[in-house]
Amino acid sequence: MLQQHTAGNPMNSSIRWTYLKPREIVSELLKKGYSVSRNIVRYLLKKHEYVKRKAQKNITMGGHPDRNAQFENITQLKQDYLDAGNPVISMDTKKKELLGTFYRNGSLYTQAAIQTNDHDFPSSATGSVIPHGFYDLKRNTGYITLGTSHDTSEFACDSLFQWWVNEGIIHYPKAKSLLILCDGGGSNSSRHYIFKEDLQKTANALGLEIRIAHYPPYTSKYNPIEHRFFPHVTRACEGVVFHSVETVKTLISRTSTSKGLTTIVHILDKIYETGRKYAADFKEIMPIVFDTHLPKWNYRAIPQE
């Protein structure tokens, strides 16, 4: 009977599945004169290697010929910076969250059910919050800047500035350079000159060399912040309604692990302009120094006097 209700993977003939549920198989067998229970059907499915599984998001959507070379480059850069006592920071932005009585995944111990809006209309929000994160690989610490405007390159660089003056310079007073590992898109896109311009301004303001190493396309899950920090932030906020920015700050500040992870949170209540363009002459006089090896993903902002 399964032969009529089975599909397969055209790229792998050994992978097959059925879209029928056990109760539907019982019903179909009953029509053919076979009376069996669901337990028997489940047993037979398992015997023939039909096990209930979820699809796994493991197929890379796009490869890049320089992917492995960049991973090797990042590995070497991390080791060089750590050996020299310079900070290695992983950077990324979590998705924007609406403020208000909106449903959020997760459960809590409560004396009564928490009531939320039945629709998540942005027009009903009292505001929004954008968590921009940094993860210190050496110290196993996280730092979150909560923006209330837009996720722009200026916001990303202001967040970096706040991290350095509040945390970085305290723990790395002798640092000569800062290595930042980040994705290749979003507010810190490897293709946008506006990010490079804002990055140069930040390097000038801090008086510190900032080296950027972007992960290749479709490999953001390998960015350390994605699996060492953000999952714990999500866990700390599960099920709680984000009524205000202060609520979000309190929740994220609780992020910790038994392995010693700690978190500091800072609110950056500044309005950021979207659609900004880099200066007309920036591309021609740009002081950004690109590496000779994979320059599209590796470059330095050296402070200018």
Side-chain angles (χ1 to χ4, degrees), residues 281-294:
D281 61 345
F282 175 75
K283 197 172 179 180
E284 287 69 30
I285 64 173
M286 178 172 54
I288 295 289
V289 178
F290 292 88
D291 289 6
T292 55
H293 179 57
L294 300 175

Side-chain angles (χ1 to χ4, degrees), residues 33-93:
Y34 299 99
S35 179
V36 296
S37 68
R38 293 187 191 180
N39 287 338
I40 293 297
V41 169
R42 293 191 185 97
Y43 167 76
L44 291 172
L45 284 171
K46 186 175 181 179
K47 181 180 178 181
H48 291 280
E49 299 182 347
Y50 283 87
V51 180
K52 196 172 185 178
R53 299 182 176 92
K54 287 185 178 181
Q56 298 180 356
K57 298 169 67 174
N58 290 330
I59 301 176
T60 302
M61 291 184 61
H64 195 286
D66 295 325
R67 170 181 162 140
N68 290 340
Q70 179 62 355
F71 272 99
E72 292 173 357
N73 184 56
I74 288 175
T75 299
Q76 186 61 54
L77 284 173
K78 285 195 297 185
Q79 193 59 55
D80 291 344
Y81 269 69
L82 291 173
D83 289 345
N86 288 322
V88 179
I89 304 300
S90 175
M91 177 176 79
D92 200 9
T93 307

Side-chain angles (χ1 to χ4, degrees), residues 261-304:
L261 174 69
T262 57
T263 305
I264 293 176
V265 185
H266 174 83
I267 297 176
L268 188 55
D269 194 11
K270 177 181 175 181
I271 304 300
Y272 290 98
E273 177 188 353
T274 59
R276 287 174 55 237
K277 303 294 184 182
Y278 58 87
D281 61 345
F282 175 75
K283 197 172 179 180
E284 287 69 30
I285 64 173
M286 178 172 54
I288 295 289
V289 178
F290 292 88
D291 289 6
T292 55
H293 179 57
L294 300 175
K296 58 189 172 184
W297 294 330
N298 303 281
Y299 47 87
R300 292 174 294 146
I302 300 175
Q304 306 293 301

